[in-house]
Amino acid sequence: MSGSVTPQIRDATPADLPAALRLVAASGLPTAGIRDHFHEFLVAELDGRVVGVAGLECYEAAALLRSVAVDPELRGRKLGTQLTEAALARCRHPGCEAVYLLTESAEPFFAHFGFRTVARASLPAALAASEELRGACPASAVCMELPMVIRDRENS
């Protein structure tokens, strides 16, 4: 890729939705529910092009991290890490008790941030509103949790 070498991570805008949907789908991740929560997404932009995405769905005291995807040309450059860190930074406030996610292939990646595997049955009831938990993400996906309250206490 030519031009700048550092993607800018920013809030997603409605104009970013088509590119974000293509990137998520090309990464083999479910796109159901993205439109409804796109105002809570971040994108990475490089040379005017969306090259990464990470989404949040916020439900009461819980958030669902979803759709972390990076353009294949930029994988291995820590962009997925930067997007995940930026998304998690949005959840570091007293109202968010934990962040959850579902994954079929990235358990080690998310464990690096402190996520731990939990039973799907232990997820907060409020997350049942997510398309991911209503069938967009297969039942075989691993559920993971990152308690934010504990992390906040450790960092204060």
Side-chain angles (χ1 to χ4, degrees):
M1 297 188 94
S2 62
S4 62
V5 294
T6 304
Q8 173 195 7
I9 296 175
R10 60 172 174 76
D11 292 338
T13 67
D16 298 321
L17 181 60
L21 288 170
R22 281 191 300 275
L23 186 57
V24 170
S27 296
L29 300 173
T31 59
I34 289 179
R35 288 180 197 283
D36 296 335
H37 295 275
F38 200 61
H39 62 281
E40 298 174 299
F41 274 57
L42 296 167
V43 296
E45 181 180 9
L46 181 65
D47 295 333
R49 186 167 79 91
V50 173
V51 295
V53 63
L56 288 170
E57 293 183 20
C58 298
Y59 300 96
E60 299 173 9
L64 183 71
L65 177 64
R66 62 164 300 172
S67 307
V68 178
V70 173
D71 185 297
E73 292 180 34
L74 293 176
R75 289 186 185 151
R77 298 185 188 182
K78 304 287 185 196
L79 185 53
T81 297
Q82 293 169 358
L83 283 161
T84 300
E85 287 173 347
L88 292 175
R90 292 184 166 193
C91 299
R92 291 191 182 103
H93 58 81
C96 185
E97 295 176 8
V99 179
Y100 299 87
L101 61 84
L102 300 169
T103 183
E104 289 191 277
S105 61
E107 189 175 349
F109 173 78
F110 290 112
H112 169 78
F113 297 95
F115 280 91
R116 61 182 175 84
T117 303
V118 295
R120 191 177 280 226
S122 72
L123 297 179
L127 291 180
S130 173
E131 291 285 339
E132 288 220 330
L133 286 156
R134 291 190 312 202
C137 203
S140 60
V142 173
C143 298
M144 300 184 82
E145 173 190 47
L146 177 65
M148 298 307 287
V149 175
I150 293 170
R151 177 175 249 188
D152 286 345
R153 286 186 193 140
E154 289 175 355
N155 289 333
S156 55

